[in-house]
Amino acid sequence: MEKFFEKLDSALKNGSIVKMTLSKPTIKNNDLRNIYIKPILLKDNKMYQFTYRYERRDETKNFTANQTMEQVRSLVPTDFQNVSLFTLTEDVTLLVSKKGKPTLMCKKTSESRDVDLSHDHEKQRLIDPSKPWWHLLGLTTRDGKVTADMQHKFKQICKYVEIVDGVMRQTKFDDEIHIADMGAGKGYLTFALYEYLTNNYDKKIVMEGVEIRPELVLKINDIIEKCKDARPCVSTIHFVQNSIDEYKPSKLDVLIALHACDTATDDAILKGIRNNAKLIICAPCCHKQIRREMEKSGKTDSITKYGIFLERQAVMITDAVRALVLEYCGYKTQVMEFIEIDNTPKNVLLVGRKSDKPVDKEAVTKQIDGLLKQYGIEEHYLWKNLWKNCRAY
């Protein structure tokens, strides 16, 4: 332990620290996950910036070299059991076991390194928190800083934009892209995607948020009106008060439905299919309809007789049939797993891209009917409603 602190003291004195991380909290349910330390230049004085990374926020404090030594001594091994110290010439790792036994590992570096003294430079973000709509939506302060309690939400929004952008890049569009965000809620993703696409796509973006709660639609359209002179121009984004099922778009290129509950996801997929959308992107959040069907049938196997596996099987069957229905309707389907941000649950993203390739509808029908029959499911909401009052299929 003392050998480590001798190395840290030497690195602080000769200014060779590149970065340092304290990790593996001694208390597992501690909200503070790790501390990242880097040298900075603050008013011509060399300081050490501590970034305290909590589950949903980051906090920073600056310390002198002497204070840094005191801080690390007070935190290791009391609060953190692992330390990674990177200097210009050496990598030093301190590991403390559950019984308190320290292990020190040192490795000379063969690469050329520099000490970056830039002060807490702003991360490259997909969306700009200084835009006026983010303050009006309640995510930032008046001067464009993300509030402490909304940092998790802001990271989540940026991650979603990155995912949707990656999917859209693989699709060919005309000079105008008409996008509908189904169940848009408070409008976070709608605004974020509109801002990003308007800034990064050489096309006209026409965005419509579909939300059933009239008070939210009124509020967000008022925000759009207040921001009409901002850049990017928000003249081609608006919200409509409607259910997903009854929404009637004039044109639809991209349909997005993230976390539309239960059969609302099916309504959204059906809306995209019937409007010949080029791209359908869904992230389902619950699958109650199929689970009720499975429970009603009383038909179980060696997997579904266990409650937790029944739930998971219902999820897989629901989304597998959704993917097959999209294939039946001429979409190239992709089901992927993604993680919103660190330490969050995994989600399934269902993507359908319109294809010109011929479809063996009889074969797909057999797959769907066979899957439903296997688990005693009388009807799948999407499969049933695809045929209802829809001559095209």
Side-chain angles (χ1 to χ4, degrees):
M1 187 77 70
E2 283 307 312
K3 284 182 180 179
F4 167 77
F5 285 115
E6 286 174 10
K7 286 185 174 290
L8 175 58
D9 183 56
S10 176
L12 286 166
K13 286 178 178 176
N14 62 31
S16 64
I17 293 180
V18 176
K19 61 182 178 179
M20 178 165 52
T21 303
L22 311 187
S23 59
K24 196 178 180 182
T26 53
I27 302 173
K28 289 186 177 180
N29 60 355
N30 192 347
D31 188 37
L32 179 59
R33 299 304 176 88
N34 60 57
I35 301 175
Y36 175 74
I37 304 165
K38 60 161 289 188
I40 62 170
L41 196 62
L42 189 61
K43 294 181 180 179
D44 296 328
N45 294 316
K46 189 171 184 179
M47 303 285 285
Y48 291 87
Q49 183 181 81
F50 282 54
T51 300
Y52 299 82
R53 290 175 171 164
Y54 294 88
E55 183 175 357
R56 294 179 179 269
R57 69 187 194 281
D58 290 350
E59 293 180 2
T60 60
K61 293 181 181 179
N62 301 322
F63 297 103
T64 64
N66 289 338
Q67 291 170 334
T68 296
M69 189 69 177
E70 293 172 3
Q71 288 293 318
V72 177
R73 275 192 176 275
S74 69
L75 292 164
V76 180
T78 308
D79 297 282
F80 293 95
Q81 293 177 286
N82 290 0
V83 186
S84 298
L85 170 64
F86 299 88
T87 72
L88 293 174
T89 59
E90 192 176 27
D91 295 343
V92 181
T93 304
L94 176 68
L95 307 176
V96 183
S97 69
K98 291 181 180 179
K99 295 182 179 180
K101 181 181 178 181
T103 300
L104 186 67
M105 296 180 288
C106 305
K107 180 182 178 182
K108 295 293 182 182
T109 179
S110 57
E111 62 182 12
S112 177
R113 292 175 177 173
D114 294 315
V115 177
D116 179 12
L117 296 176
S118 59
H119 177 226
D120 194 26
H121 56 276
E122 192 72 19
K123 294 179 181 178
Q124 292 296 316
R125 284 171 164 160
L126 299 176
I127 54 180
D128 182 359
S130 68
K131 296 300 180 184
W133 42 82
W134 294 118
H135 172 60
L136 295 172
L137 287 167
L139 271 78
T140 65
T141 60
R142 288 186 180 277
D143 58 352
K145 301 293 184 183
V146 181
T147 61
D149 60 333
M150 296 303 287
Q151 286 192 16
H152 172 76
K153 173 60 69 176
F154 196 82
K155 289 178 181 178
Q156 184 184 60
I157 293 165
C158 289
K159 188 61 180 177
Y160 273 134
V161 169
E162 182 183 345
I163 291 167
V164 174
D165 173 49
V167 172
M168 287 185 63
R169 295 279 182 187
Q170 302 175 50
T171 307
K172 292 183 179 180
F173 297 102
D174 298 329
D175 291 337
E176 282 190 9
I177 306 178
H178 291 252
I179 304 171
D181 184 8
M182 302 298 211
K186 295 179 180 178
Y188 298 147
L189 179 66
T190 320
F191 272 91
L193 189 59
Y194 181 82
E195 177 188 324
Y196 177 81
L197 296 178
T198 303
N199 283 330
N200 293 278
Y201 280 53
D202 187 23
K203 298 180 184 294
K204 181 180 179 182
I205 306 299
V206 181
M207 178 79 75
E208 206 159 50
V210 182
E211 173 55 48
I212 199 167
R213 290 167 286 185
E215 67 278 6
L216 284 179
V217 174
L218 185 65
K219 176 184 176 182
I220 295 169
N221 281 334
D222 182 57
I223 289 173
I224 293 171
E225 179 63 25
K226 289 176 179 177
C227 298
K228 63 182 180 181
D229 295 326
R231 292 289 181 272
C233 178
V234 291
S235 60
T236 56
I237 177 175
H238 72 284
F239 270 56
V240 294
Q241 193 265 314
N242 215 330
S243 67
I244 294 174
D245 184 38
E246 297 191 4
Y247 169 65
K248 292 180 174 60
S250 57
K251 184 182 179 184
L252 187 58
D253 294 311
V254 181
L255 180 138
I256 298 172
L258 302 183
H259 298 163
C261 188
D262 199 20
T263 56
T265 296
D266 298 307
D267 289 331
I269 292 172
L270 197 59
K271 187 65 61 177
I273 291 171
R274 288 178 173 170
N275 285 275
N276 205 33
K278 293 182 179 180
L279 186 61
I280 297 173
I281 305 171
C282 296
C285 74
C286 59
H287 307 74
K288 297 175 184 177
Q289 187 257 324
I290 289 300
R291 172 156 185 169
R292 287 193 296 267
E293 287 284 318
M294 294 172 71
E295 289 174 335
K296 185 173 65 176
S297 73
K299 189 172 182 178
T300 62
D301 56 22
S302 56
I303 295 175
T304 57
K305 71 177 182 178
Y306 301 105
I308 188 171
F309 292 150
L310 173 64
E311 177 70 28
R312 292 176 183 176
Q313 197 76 338
V315 169
M316 288 190 287
I317 293 169
T318 303
D319 291 337
V321 173
R322 285 168 174 164
L324 287 167
V325 169
L326 281 167
E327 288 183 14
Y328 178 91
C329 295
Y331 286 82
K332 183 179 179 181
T333 307
Q334 182 180 9
V335 181
M336 65 183 79
E337 192 174 54
F338 70 94
I339 300 176
E340 295 174 6
I341 60 172
D342 292 342
N343 303 314
T344 62
K346 294 179 180 179
N347 290 269
V348 166
L349 195 71
L350 179 60
V351 177
R353 293 186 186 84
K354 194 67 176 174
S355 173
D356 295 328
K357 293 182 179 180
V359 179
D360 186 345
K361 293 191 174 184
E362 184 178 349
V364 177
T365 299
K366 285 182 180 179
Q367 290 182 65
I368 294 172
D369 291 344
L371 185 57
L372 298 181
K373 183 179 179 180
Q374 181 180 347
Y375 289 94
I377 299 168
E378 291 186 10
E379 65 178 46
H380 185 291
Y381 182 91
L382 176 59
W383 187 229
K384 172 188 174 183
N385 283 275
L386 178 70
W387 295 88
K388 187 178 179 182
N389 301 321
C390 187
R391 295 178 183 177
Y393 300 102

